[in-house]
Amino acid sequence: MRRADVIIVGAGQAGLALSHCLGQIGIDHAVLERGRIGERWRSEGWRSLRLLTPNWLNGLPGSPYQGDDPDGFMCKGAFVESLEAYARRWQAPVECGVEVLSCRRTGNGFALATSAGDWSAKAVVVATGHCDRPAVPFAPGTNRGPLSIHASRYRCPDELPRGGVLVVGASSSGVQIADELARAGRRVVLAVGKHTRLPRRWRGRDIFYWLCEMGFMAQRPDDLANPESARRQPSLQLAGRPDKADVDLATLQALGVELTGRVRAIADGAVAFADDLAAQVAAAEAKQARLLAEIDRFAGAARPIRRQPVNVPSISARRLSLGDGSIDTIVWATGYARSFGWLEPAALGADGELAHQGGVTSVPGLYALGFRFLRKRDSNFIGGVGTDARAIAAEISLYLDRNGLRAA
């Protein structure tokens, strides 16, 4: 059996950031990664994917961005390379190809069964990421219908069947995939549910400049009237394009993308859509208007700017046949769930999610990092994980010292 004072599960940006912070304060630890460093960035997402946040916002602890393109958007391959370089620079003790099969509290620590043998640890940190298990709410119900894939399996237009595509979900992944498919000459139908529309740039600055300057990204759960609602908010309708152009419902309409309401059911060889497109668009437009007005007041801008509105059709499709050959693929840009069947059951809530307060669970020595709104609004952002990692490292240090568990 191998041992470490602390085991971090996951070698993405969160796990590597915490490894750096633990190393800086001399805490023995190991990082167990079932694939390679940054595996999800490598094996999931489309080929042209770029980060949604500008480069200046993507620094990790001990490694702020120092390149010559601070306002650019890194492609996913370059980001993986940066993670590997980060791990090498700080000599992160990463064990790749090691999947944690179970983690149970035992005595004063934890017993972990892995694909490469057993480990024991005094503390464990779950840094497996918010995007764990693809969530697909409906199944087409027939093997003879269109290809049905989650957005995590989409790579490029050429790898899909030749016909039309139904994209389900209008947050960041859905609008970017719909944009790429439409530009490739495909018929695209976009099923629009709850979404958050914002411009890529506002008043001459990237939208994240304003969100950071106004303290929006640093908001903590206690700052909000309904933090659970904030955790469930869809990702921003943005794209990290080199031209810094908007990608949203209005720009997609200009490319010929057909908008419908959210998917209500799939049955009898057809997709049924809710009659809620107008309501979903109106809610997003109202929220956008309120936030942009706040930015304008903060910036001291007196002249209002009107964004191109979404042209909601008077009648949108309520039903789409899956058997007439017009739609050959369904891409589900419907988000992710977490899978914690391997983890100490006492750490899970009734909903199966990891229960914690600011990354500290009720199980002594068990922590979380990198999940949405863990300690603040940007906890699952690359540039936001660093402050959380430092806080969790301090919690771990205190726990080990208080219980006399730190290695001599």
Side-chain angles (χ1 to χ4, degrees):
M1 176 180 288
R2 300 180 64 182
R3 293 175 171 81
D5 281 359
V6 181
I7 286 180
I8 302 168
V9 184
Q13 61 263 19
L16 294 178
L18 180 59
S19 174
H20 168 78
C21 294
L22 291 177
Q24 292 297 101
I25 55 178
I27 293 181
D28 169 61
H29 67 282
V31 185
L32 304 186
E33 166 56 54
R34 64 183 176 183
R36 298 160 291 178
I37 288 174
E39 183 60 45
R40 284 203 179 95
W41 289 101
R42 296 174 186 267
S43 58
E44 298 182 10
W46 54 100
R47 290 175 184 164
S48 64
L49 176 64
R50 291 176 177 268
L51 303 187
L52 288 182
T53 46
N55 293 333
W56 60 264
L57 192 53
N58 297 328
L60 291 173
S63 184
Y65 179 75
Q66 295 179 324
D68 57 4
D69 187 21
D71 293 318
F73 300 94
M74 198 178 299
C75 66
K76 70 173 187 174
F79 181 62
V80 168
E81 291 176 2
S82 75
L83 289 179
E84 290 179 320
Y86 184 77
R88 288 193 302 269
R89 177 182 178 187
W90 300 109
Q91 300 180 317
V94 180
E95 303 263 348
C96 291
V98 179
E99 181 177 5
V100 177
L101 305 174
S102 70
C103 173
R104 298 292 183 265
R105 176 76 182 173
T106 174
N108 287 328
F110 296 85
L112 294 90
T114 82
S115 59
D118 295 337
W119 284 74
S120 69
K122 299 166 186 175
V124 171
V125 183
V126 181
T128 50
H130 198 78
C131 300
D132 187 7
R133 178 168 52 86
V136 177
F138 300 100
T142 172
N143 292 329
R144 296 189 301 274
L147 171 68
S148 178
I149 63 171
H150 188 265
S152 59
R153 291 179 52 209
Y154 169 77
R155 298 294 176 264
C156 68
D158 290 345
E159 290 192 4
L160 298 183
R162 290 182 177 273
V165 183
L166 168 63
V167 179
V168 183
S171 291
S172 58
S173 293
V175 295
Q176 290 181 81
I177 291 171
D179 178 85
E180 182 169 89
L181 289 167
R183 291 178 185 277
R186 299 298 189 93
R187 178 198 178 191
V188 181
V189 179
L190 180 65
V192 179
K194 187 177 182 181
H195 61 281
T196 303
R197 186 188 185 201
L198 281 178
R200 177 74 267 179
R201 295 181 66 80
W202 190 249
R203 302 289 183 185
R205 298 273 194 168
D206 189 272
I207 192 65
F208 280 109
Y209 168 84
W210 298 112
L211 297 180
C212 291
E213 285 294 304
M214 294 169 62
F216 185 80
M217 301 303 290
Q219 286 178 329
R220 296 180 177 274
D222 290 345
D223 298 332
L224 306 176
N226 191 342
E228 284 306 313
S229 176
R231 285 190 176 96
R232 294 191 297 269
Q233 287 296 311
S235 59
L236 300 179
Q237 215 174 60
L238 293 174
R241 288 171 44 152
D243 61 6
K244 302 178 178 61
D246 288 333
V247 178
D248 58 20
L249 300 188
T251 64
L252 292 176
Q253 282 185 312
L255 293 173
V257 173
E258 305 163 47
L259 306 182
T260 72
R262 60 184 172 80
V263 172
R264 185 169 53 83
I266 295 183
D268 301 323
V271 182
F273 301 105
D275 186 20
D276 63 351
L277 177 60
Q280 299 284 8
V281 169
E285 296 295 292
K287 185 173 182 179
Q288 174 184 239
R290 289 193 299 269
L291 182 55
L292 294 182
E294 284 187 48
I295 293 174
D296 286 352
R297 286 192 293 271
F298 179 83
R303 181 175 59 86
I305 301 175
R306 178 172 171 78
R307 295 201 70 206
Q308 180 181 356
V310 178
N311 180 24
V312 179
S314 56
I315 300 176
S316 59
R318 299 293 300 279
R319 187 177 184 277
L320 185 65
S321 173
L322 298 178
D324 63 4
S326 63
I327 295 295
D328 284 343
T329 307
I330 303 175
V331 178
W332 298 92
T334 42
Y336 295 82
R338 269 62 52 204
S339 180
F340 294 117
W342 56 275
L343 191 58
E344 168 62 52
L348 306 182
D351 58 358
E353 294 282 358
L354 182 57
H356 64 86
Q357 291 290 327
V360 181
T361 78
S362 61
V363 177
L366 183 63
Y367 304 89
L369 183 65
F371 295 98
R372 193 170 194 184
F373 229 128
L374 186 96
R375 299 175 70 90
K376 47 190 173 43
R377 193 180 288 275
D378 65 355
S379 286
N380 64 313
F381 283 64
I382 297 162
V385 74
T387 52
D388 283 7
R390 284 186 281 269
I392 295 300
E395 293 277 1
I396 292 170
S397 180
L398 181 63
Y399 170 76
L400 295 177
D401 289 342
R402 188 171 55 226
N403 293 281
L405 298 175
R406 190 193 288 262

